[in-house]
Amino acid sequence: MALLTKKDANLIKDPLADNNPITIQVLGICSALAITAELKASVVMAISVMFVLGLGNVVISLMRNIIPSKIRIIVQLIVVATLVIIVDQVLKAYAYDLSKTLAVFVGLIITNCIIMGRFEAFALGNGPWRSFLDGIGNSLGYGIILVIVGFFRELLGSGTLGGIPVLGDPIEKTGLYSIGYENNGFMIIPPAALIVVGIIIWVQRSRNPALVEEN
Amino acid sequence: MLEHIELFFRSIFIDNMVFAVFLGMCSYLAVSKKVATAVGLGAAVIFVLAVTVPMNWLLDKYLLQDGALAWLGPEYADYNLSFLSFILFIATIATMVQLVEIVVEKFSPSLYNSLGIFLPLIAVNCAILGGSLFMQSRQIETFGLAFNYGLSSGIGWFLAILAIAAIREKIRYSNVPAPLRGLGITFIITGLMGIGFQSFGGMLTGGDDAAEEAQETVNLETPKVEQKETSAKKVADNNSEIDEKEISYNDVKK
């Protein structure tokens, strides 16, 4: 790609796998677990975080030379809070049901550690364009895990994807249900998300032994 | 008084910050390698939650809610500033944390040394902002209840991080499969603990109904078979009641 140099492309590629914000950097777990019972909510959450992180990184990067380091946390919080209010109002206006499902978790994007972590680690020391790419890359890495967890929890837990039944009708016993398949209600309860993420980490680390921790 | 006790136990066990709504997971995972540091962070979280939730309750009641500005005069009664709640809540939290840090450093250097390094971390702990946002969405009624809610959710978070830190100290000596070491096994253990905490769901509703049921059976002297049926029904009712409550408290699960 002519638009992106190789170094820039790595900013987007790295967080997708080997430096994933959730499974490797352990940032932004809260929302990843709480809203992934449905695929649709996971996708919307991923897009919202991408908007906030991409724009926020640019804003912080533009202001990086004028923010006094002592009060930078508050400045960062205000920038994120403003962007999150925009997301929240847009969701309430155009997708009211979904904003009810996400409830307080839209507001909790403010304290999503990915955002503060990327501000601190990247945007404060790099130019706006590279910060923007870093923000998009990291939110993609976050979004991928969210979508994977949401996919499995909704498919196994309620037999639907994005609200559309894909395994047949559990009440009229069509499709898979006609041969005795049952929905796994366990996948709907919150602790299941932790176990699914744990399994993702397990798979990822057994494919790439360099990531294994020392207890 | 009863509602205080109910809210207290509900926030600690049933709506536990970590196991039921996954708030504050980042610091929960990052600072739970040793019991001593976990206790320090947990104490700081209890303290900050107990201070910020009532403060944000006042803000919500007298500034943000629909028609909350009526105390300024009738012409202000139509304002609804609730869209500002995120920015005001987080500003309150960041300021309070900074203030607490300064005060503690000045008056109790020993407490500052054990607790101080965690305080800046707390401003961005989702459990703190989450406490205020849940306080708002659950429409907690009085100042006292808001304080109770902040304190007890802090205690719930403290219990959770204490438990996982103790388990992680022990698990160092066991033979975990290599790819699961560290983060992976912590996730799965937290999941199992979460399932365990789900069983507290019957603690409040279940107990009350059982007591009533016993009284009824004494009064009416119903035959044993019927009694069994009703008790089975009651259990089923209880379950559905709990489900409904959990959904209403935690819209996420819809």
Side-chain angles (χ1 to χ4, degrees), chain A residues 30 34 38 89 105 113 190 212-213, chain B residues 22 26 83 126 178 183 252 254:
Chain A
C30 327
E38 288 171 42
Q89 297 292 318
F105 289 94
C113 326
V212 170
E213 285 175 64
Chain B
F22 306 116
C26 303
F83 66 94
C126 7
L183 192 57
V252 183
K254 267 183 213 163

Side-chain angles (χ1 to χ4, degrees), chain A residues 195-208:
Chain A
I195 292 172
V196 174
V197 176
I199 291 171
I200 292 176
I201 292 173
W202 191 357
V203 171
Q204 191 186 20
R205 291 188 184 185
S206 41
R207 287 166 58 98
N208 187 351

Side-chain angles (χ1 to χ4, degrees), chain B residues 12-246:
Chain B
I12 293 182
F13 293 109
I14 303 173
D15 294 328
N16 186 291
M17 278 280 181
V18 172
F19 298 125
V21 280
F22 306 116
L23 296 181
M25 285 299 283
C26 303
S27 25
Y28 170 84
L29 291 168
V31 197
S32 61
K33 283 189 179 135
K34 278 191 190 147
V35 171
T37 47
V39 169
L41 182 68
V45 166
I46 295 183
F47 185 73
V48 175
L49 263 175
V51 173
T52 56
V53 171
M55 283 208 47
N56 282 333
W57 183 86
L58 286 177
L59 270 183
D60 188 44
K61 179 90 176 169
Y62 293 109
L63 204 60
L64 296 171
Q65 271 176 6
D66 196 3
L69 287 173
W71 56 274
L72 275 176
E75 66 269 32
Y76 294 99
D78 292 337
Y79 287 93
N80 181 0
L81 296 180
S82 56
F83 66 94
L84 282 178
S85 39
F86 293 155
I87 206 161
L88 271 182
F89 284 180
I90 197 72
T92 316
I93 289 167
T95 337
M96 278 314 297
V97 169
Q98 203 87 49
L99 201 69
V100 166
E101 196 181 346
I102 294 168
V103 170
V104 171
E105 190 178 11
K106 171 88 178 146
F107 291 105
S108 170
S110 62
L111 183 65
Y112 180 76
N113 285 336
S114 58
L115 206 123
I117 46 166
F118 299 116
L119 281 171
L121 265 182
I122 282 178
V124 289
N125 185 332
C126 7
I128 310 292
L129 181 64
S132 292
L133 289 176
F134 273 120
M135 175 272 298
Q136 191 189 31
S137 71
R138 286 172 195 179
Q139 293 167 341
I140 285 181
E141 277 160 19
T142 65
F143 185 79
L145 279 174
F147 173 75
N148 182 343
Y149 179 68
L151 184 73
S152 49
S153 3
I155 295 175
W157 201 89
F158 177 87
L159 275 184
I161 196 169
L162 191 64
I164 193 75
I167 292 176
R168 283 181 82 171
E169 275 196 358
K170 291 285 174 205
I171 218 165
R172 214 166 291 153
Y173 306 108
S174 35
N175 188 12
V176 180
L180 265 181
R181 263 176 215 158
L183 192 57
I185 196 72
T186 314
F187 264 96
I188 290 176
I189 291 172
T190 312
L192 296 177
M193 285 161 76
I195 295 172
F197 264 68
Q198 293 242 315
S199 59
F200 285 119
M203 193 168 72
L204 294 175
T205 44
D208 289 346
D209 284 16
E212 276 168 30
E213 190 190 330
Q215 277 181 350
E216 270 172 33
T217 46
V218 172
N219 292 341
L220 299 174
E221 288 175 7
T222 40
K224 270 187 182 175
V225 185
E226 216 179 293
Q227 189 184 327
K228 264 184 194 170
E229 268 178 15
T230 49
S231 68
K233 240 186 192 176
K234 278 261 163 86
V235 171
D237 285 349
N238 274 356
N239 284 342
S240 63
E241 201 179 298
I242 290 160
D243 283 348
E244 273 170 20
K245 273 201 178 150
E246 279 192 351

